[in-house]
């Protein structure tokens, strides 16, 4: 089921009539989510991800714009009639019910023509439980389950009605690091197996990048960029997106373009054909540095951290806008920790230029 968002907008009015502090939580969101894909809605706290998800679910009414599921305009439709499955951060299972009863609950509540015979309900409940691999836990109560198992029950409960659309709001936040990894792969597997169009909200860029077919990066209610995770990482539209994606984060410098050459401080570090002379903000991915004794970017060496296959070199430069520069270098290259300086040449496809005021990308 494809989902179309047309100029979707949500404004929360000011509480106080005298002050003008209304919040534009989502501003003119336009996007066609292709059928059967997993979309990661990503951004810092308060950027409007949850509000977008709640509008798709029908829990919140848009101030403007429309939502379509396939060709159906669902903008005014109630949550129950949209055919969605919802999973929240807190699993919200009924504690006095068994796993089976929790999963059956949405089916037992169906009314009118949607009502199902008991056998059919059980069949669907077991099918959903099997998808998330909890069919052996059906007689337990939620308190007898681990956090990861509880979240699986919540996902099974969302899947049991065979929804047209699955909506997940930070579903992994309450799990520990190992379980998060495992559960996010589970979600990906279930999504692929069922082919249900899924929207997944998270503030964790690594999580979104690892399982999404496409990511949407938001800031203050405004979509910054939409694309496949790798292409957004490789070609960020602006400084915000460049900074938001990637661990370790991108290194940011003050720079200047003169005669189609990029300078950081007095050093000519890269040829940037076609770029007009101007002051710029420079982003360099950690993997964009190459150890090179003759390299033009000379930094003061602080530390070398061993990471196994790679090493992370921590250094400083007076034009860096971050307190430290972090580069990732293959561990085969030896770095003398006693040296005062480390010199780099730069990989051009890992260096991005941004307009100093607008912070939009300047392509070269
Ligand atoms: P988080 O990751 O912290 O959940 P988010 O990206 O999901 O953040 P939203 O919850 O969508 O962000 O909130 C977007 C903006 O709308 C925020 O500035 C928030 O304070 C505001 N907001 C959300 N709900 C309401 C509400 N009911 N009334 C007024 N303002 C609201």
């Amino acid at each position: 089921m494809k989902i179309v968002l047309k100029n979707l907008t949500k404004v929360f009015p000011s509480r106080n009539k005298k002050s003008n502090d209304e919040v534009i939580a989502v501003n003119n969101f336009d996007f066609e989510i292709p059928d059967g894909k997993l979309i990661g809605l990503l951004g810092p706290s308060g950027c409007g991800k949850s509000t977008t998800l709640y509008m798709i679910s029908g829990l919140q009414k848009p101030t403007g714009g429309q939502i379509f599921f396939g060709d159906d305009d669902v903008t005014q439709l109630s949550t129950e009639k949209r055919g969605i499955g919802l999973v929240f951060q807190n699993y919200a299972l009924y504690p006095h019910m068994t796993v089976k009863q929790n999963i059956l609950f949405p089916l037992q509540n169906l009314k009118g023509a949607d009502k199902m015979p008991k056998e059919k309900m059980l069949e669907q409940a077991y099918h959903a439980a099997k998808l998330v691999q909890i069919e052996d836990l059906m007689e337990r109560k939620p308190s007898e389950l681990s956090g990861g198992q509880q979240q699986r029950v919540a996902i099974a409960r969302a899947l049991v009605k065979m929804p047209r659309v699955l909506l997940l709001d930070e579903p992994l936040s309450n799990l520990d690091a190992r379980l998060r990894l495992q559960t996010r792969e589970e979600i990906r597997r279930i999504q692929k197996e069922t082919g249900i169009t899924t929207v997944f909200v998270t503030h964790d860029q690594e999580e979104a990048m690892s399982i999404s077919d496409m990511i949407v990066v938001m800031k203050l209610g405004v979509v910054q960029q939409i694309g496949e995770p790798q292409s957004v990482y490789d070609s960020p539209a602006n400084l915000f997106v460049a900074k938001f994606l990637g661990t370790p984060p991108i290194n940011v410098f003050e720079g200047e373009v003169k005669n189609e050459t990029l300078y950081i401080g007095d050093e000519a570090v890269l040829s940037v054909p076609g770029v007009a002379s101007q002051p710029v903000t420079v982003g360099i991915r950690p993997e964009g540095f190459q150890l090179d004794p003759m390299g033009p970017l000379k930094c003061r060496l602080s530390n070398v951290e061993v990471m196994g296959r790679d090493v992370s070199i921590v250094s400083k430069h007076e034009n860096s806008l971050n307190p430290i520069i972090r580069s990732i270098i293959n561990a085969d290259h030896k770095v003398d920790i006693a040296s005062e300086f480390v010199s780099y040449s730069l990989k051009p496809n890992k260096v991005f230029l941004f307009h100093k005021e607008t912070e939009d990308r300047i392509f070269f």
Side-chain angles (χ1 to χ4, degrees):
M1 173 72 56
K2 108 182 151 181
I3 306 174
V4 183
L5 311 180
K6 267 195 189 162
N7 303 109
L8 195 62
T9 299
K10 179 73 183 178
V11 181
F12 290 107
S14 162
R15 285 192 193 283
N16 180 343
K17 277 189 188 145
K18 282 189 190 134
S19 71
N20 188 18
D21 55 356
E22 65 175 25
V23 177
I24 306 176
V26 179
N27 196 347
N28 259 312
F29 193 160
D30 254 329
F31 184 30
E32 185 168 319
I33 301 176
D35 179 30
K37 298 288 183 202
L38 196 162
I39 304 300
L41 271 186
L42 181 63
S45 182
C47 72
K49 335 180 264 300
S50 299
T51 305
T52 304
L53 197 82
Y54 295 159
M55 287 195 283
I56 299 174
S57 74
L59 288 174
Q60 260 171 8
K61 288 271 166 278
T63 317
Q66 286 170 296
I67 303 166
F68 294 84
F69 286 0
D71 294 327
D72 303 342
D73 183 345
V74 299
T75 320
Q76 301 303 330
L77 217 56
S78 68
T79 303
E80 300 76 48
K81 297 208 171 115
R82 289 194 187 192
I84 52 153
L86 256 176
V87 180
F88 295 101
Q89 173 177 346
N90 52 352
Y91 333 115
L93 300 176
Y94 300 108
H96 58 285
M97 291 186 189
T98 63
V99 167
K100 185 161 79 188
Q101 288 164 336
N102 264 285
I103 300 176
L104 278 169
F105 191 75
L107 299 181
Q108 289 164 336
N109 269 3
L110 292 174
K111 303 226 162 56
D114 294 333
K115 256 177 130 70
M116 276 184 199
K118 204 168 168 211
E119 295 72 44
K120 176 86 180 138
M121 285 198 266
L122 273 173
E123 188 191 317
Q124 285 200 203
Y126 272 91
H127 176 66
K130 205 162 174 222
L131 268 172
V132 301
Q133 298 174 342
I134 49 161
E135 64 270 43
D136 298 336
L137 307 173
M138 295 294 257
E139 300 308 325
R140 292 209 200 162
K141 295 263 175 72
S143 61
E144 296 162 342
L145 302 175
S146 71
Q149 289 166 335
Q150 290 185 45
Q151 193 54 296
R152 283 168 195 236
V153 178
I155 296 170
R157 194 177 51 180
L159 289 172
V160 75
K161 281 200 284 183
M162 301 294 166
R164 303 197 282 178
V165 171
L166 184 61
L167 304 171
L168 308 166
D169 190 8
E170 301 261 7
L172 309 178
S173 300
N174 285 350
L175 307 180
D176 68 34
R178 195 181 51 82
L179 258 180
R180 280 172 82 118
L181 260 176
Q182 200 183 326
T183 314
R184 82 183 187 201
E185 271 145 34
E186 281 286 285
I187 289 176
R188 183 55 171 158
R189 178 187 60 76
I190 295 161
Q191 193 274 330
K192 278 204 159 148
E193 262 179 58
T194 57
I196 299 175
T197 311
T198 300
V199 184
F200 179 98
V201 160
T202 178
H203 61 272
D204 182 333
Q205 52 97 20
E206 209 184 318
E207 202 164 277
M209 301 252 296
S210 66
I211 63 167
S212 307
D213 293 305
M214 288 176 103
I215 54 170
V216 178
V217 185
M218 298 181 74
K219 175 190 171 190
L220 294 174
V222 180
V223 172
Q224 304 292 301
Q225 192 167 0
I226 299 178
E228 289 175 7
Q230 192 66 49
S231 46
V232 178
Y233 179 83
D234 288 339
S235 189
N238 57 36
L239 182 60
F240 175 83
V241 176
K243 281 163 83 168
F244 199 73
L245 299 184
T247 28
I250 197 161
N251 300 284
V252 185
F253 296 81
E254 276 181 326
E256 179 145 19
V257 175
K258 287 184 276 189
N259 299 325
E260 302 193 346
T261 303
L262 172 65
Y263 287 80
I264 293 181
D266 294 331
E267 297 137 345
V269 294
L270 200 67
S271 160
V272 287
V275 180
S277 295
Q278 60 190 304
V280 288
T281 304
V282 186
I284 308 175
R285 292 270 180 226
E287 65 276 21
F289 298 85
Q290 263 172 321
L291 278 180
D292 176 356
M294 306 305 289
L297 188 66
K298 192 173 167 191
C299 304
R300 191 169 286 280
L301 182 62
S302 306
N303 197 9
V304 177
E305 294 168 1
V306 179
M307 298 159 68
R309 189 164 48 90
D310 299 318
V311 290
S312 164
I313 303 177
V314 181
S315 62
K316 293 185 177 178
H317 189 284
E318 60 181 14
N319 294 95
S320 168
L321 291 172
N322 309 111
I324 59 160
I325 303 160
R326 199 178 275 282
S327 62
I328 303 288
I329 308 283
N330 189 300
D332 294 342
H333 298 280
K334 295 286 169 253
V335 187
D336 180 6
I337 184 70
S339 318
E340 198 178 344
F341 293 99
V342 57
S343 292
Y344 297 110
S345 50
L346 302 176
K347 298 180 194 167
N349 63 339
K350 296 288 176 184
V351 179
F352 309 121
L353 301 186
F354 303 99
H355 192 279
K356 212 165 156 47
E357 268 88 48
T358 65
E359 302 192 343
D360 283 337
R361 178 95 173 271
I362 303 169
F363 288 88
F364 63 88

